[in-house]
Amino acid sequence: MDGATNMQNVRHIKDQGIDAVVIPAKEWEKIQRELVRLRKRANKERTLSELRETLIRIKTDIKDGRTPQGQDADEFIAELMNAK
């Protein structure tokens, strides 16, 4: 988001202890789309980080002569497919 919200159309309301901000519906929809995009990106980055850590553990197990622990490849792929 470029931060270019038209501040002339934004109103701050304070009434009986309630704080609110009113913005045009078009701006709200734009903010919501950006929020969804950022959440997807964060989820993708978290998944990739977890995958990276798992691969490092597997590599270390193999290097140290241990059998890697965890699920089989089919379960792993199914989990990845469901993480969309």
Side-chain angles (χ1 to χ4, degrees), residues 34-68:
E34 182 68 7
L35 181 59
V36 167
R37 186 188 72 76
L38 290 172
R39 284 183 177 159
K40 284 181 181 179
R41 181 176 176 184
N43 187 39
K44 179 180 177 182
E45 289 174 359
R46 183 174 46 253
T47 300
L48 289 174
S49 176
E50 290 171 0
L51 177 59
R52 191 175 303 113
E53 290 171 10
T54 300
L55 292 174
I56 290 169
R57 281 196 306 271
I58 290 170
K59 182 179 175 182
T60 302
D61 284 348
I62 291 170
K63 181 181 171 188
D64 293 344
R66 294 188 299 264
T67 301

Side-chain angles (χ1 to χ4, degrees), residues 27-37 39:
E27 290 295 321
W28 178 251
E29 291 167 358
K30 183 178 171 182
I31 290 168
Q32 289 299 315
R33 283 191 305 271
E34 182 68 7
L35 181 59
V36 167
R37 186 188 72 76
R39 284 183 177 159

